Amino acid sequence: MTTALITGANKGIGFEIARRLGERGITAIVGARDEERGRAAAERLGQPYVRLDVTDPGSAQDAAKWIEQEHGGLDILVNNAGVTVWQDDDRPSATSADVLRQVYEVNVFGVVTVTNAMLPLLRRSPAGRIVNMSSELGSIAMAIDPESPFWPFNLMAYNSSKAALNMVTVSYAKELWDTPIKVNAANPGYCATDLNGHTGHRTAEQGAQIAVRLATLDGEGPSGAYLQDEGTLPW
């Protein structure tokens, strides 16, 4: 049985990723910090739940031990949990370092914390897959292009956290280059979720598609790539 862990899976895109992986016969473990919401989501999906606070190394290690004991290993890790901090004035010059710390704590450091905790299990898998949920707003090439539709969105904390996550993705991909583990960054697009007050034009189910595809890549699939439904994005 293939086993996956999806962080932040109690709602939104993470929930849809777990649902769609489950439809493929994969055990999709719902990772969530809030136990009540996490268990409720897992019950709806008919999947296991594990408490996981991505900002807490002890929580990540405990989750890894539980997964090993209960499921024997891990084949897929989807680092989906993410946050932003909304400000009345979102200019970079009005954004404090504290705001960056709050966003990076989940979007960057949390991914490293969980990935490092789960890697010993993933290394045992015959075809380990790591999917980091990024964003088109993390593309430096598109951010600096005045003709890009993303030019107006100069959200320093969130955008730079996703650009950093892209480099984190590449870094793990390089370390694991000669192993069966593939590591990729996925752009779900602008989906209607709690993160943006449900203003996105795509559904969470649509946003989950690319993550599911990367989580179930065959041996010929890419590693160290930055992808969306339509193909590769520029870094």
Side-chain angles (χ1 to χ4, degrees), residues 85-92 94-96 99-100 155-157:
V85 174
W86 294 107
Q87 305 176 107
D88 291 334
D89 186 346
D90 59 14
R91 292 175 301 162
T95 302
S96 69
V99 167
L100 263 74
L155 309 172
M156 184 168 70

Side-chain angles (χ1 to χ4, degrees), residues 77-80 129-133 182 184-186 210-211 214-215:
L77 170 62
V78 182
N79 286 305
N80 167 75
R129 301 290 180 263
I130 300 173
V131 182
N132 294 332
M133 296 304 286
K182 296 182 182 297
N184 292 292
I210 182 63
L214 293 175

Side-chain angles (χ1 to χ4, degrees), residues 128-149:
R129 301 290 180 263
I130 300 173
V131 182
N132 294 332
M133 296 304 286
S134 187
S135 167
E136 62 252 283
L137 295 177
S139 168
I140 295 174
M142 290 195 292
I144 200 62
D145 179 2
E147 301 303 316
S148 166

Side-chain angles (χ1 to χ4, degrees), residues 41-159:
E43 186 174 339
R44 286 172 59 197
L45 292 165
Q47 295 286 359
Y49 162 75
V50 66
R51 185 183 181 280
L52 177 55
D53 180 348
V54 304
T55 69
D56 180 355
S59 174
Q61 291 293 340
D62 288 345
K65 291 175 185 175
W66 181 87
I67 291 169
E68 182 174 28
Q69 291 169 359
E70 296 296 321
H71 300 280
L74 186 67
D75 303 286
I76 298 165
L77 170 62
V78 182
N79 286 305
N80 167 75
V83 299
T84 192
V85 174
W86 294 107
Q87 305 176 107
D88 291 334
D89 186 346
D90 59 14
R91 292 175 301 162
S93 58
T95 302
S96 69
D98 184 58
V99 167
L100 263 74
R101 290 187 189 99
Q102 292 178 58
V103 175
Y104 274 60
E105 194 64 49
V106 175
N107 295 3
V108 183
F109 307 145
V111 170
V112 173
T113 296
V114 173
T115 301
N116 286 349
M118 301 300 160
L119 258 180
L121 300 179
L122 289 163
R123 285 182 181 275
R124 299 180 207 164
S125 172
R129 301 290 180 263
I130 300 173
V131 182
N132 294 332
M133 296 304 286
S134 187
S135 167
E136 62 252 283
L137 295 177
S139 168
I140 295 174
M142 290 195 292
I144 200 62
D145 179 2
E147 301 303 316
S148 166
F150 306 110
W151 172 266
F153 302 102
N154 197 20
L155 309 172
M156 184 168 70
Y158 183 79
N159 296 5

Side-chain angles (χ1 to χ4, degrees), residues 165-179:
L165 176 61
N166 289 346
M167 181 55 80
V168 166
T169 301
V170 168
S171 298
Y172 279 115
K174 289 173 65 177
E175 178 180 350
L176 299 166
W177 200 259
D178 295 322
T179 77

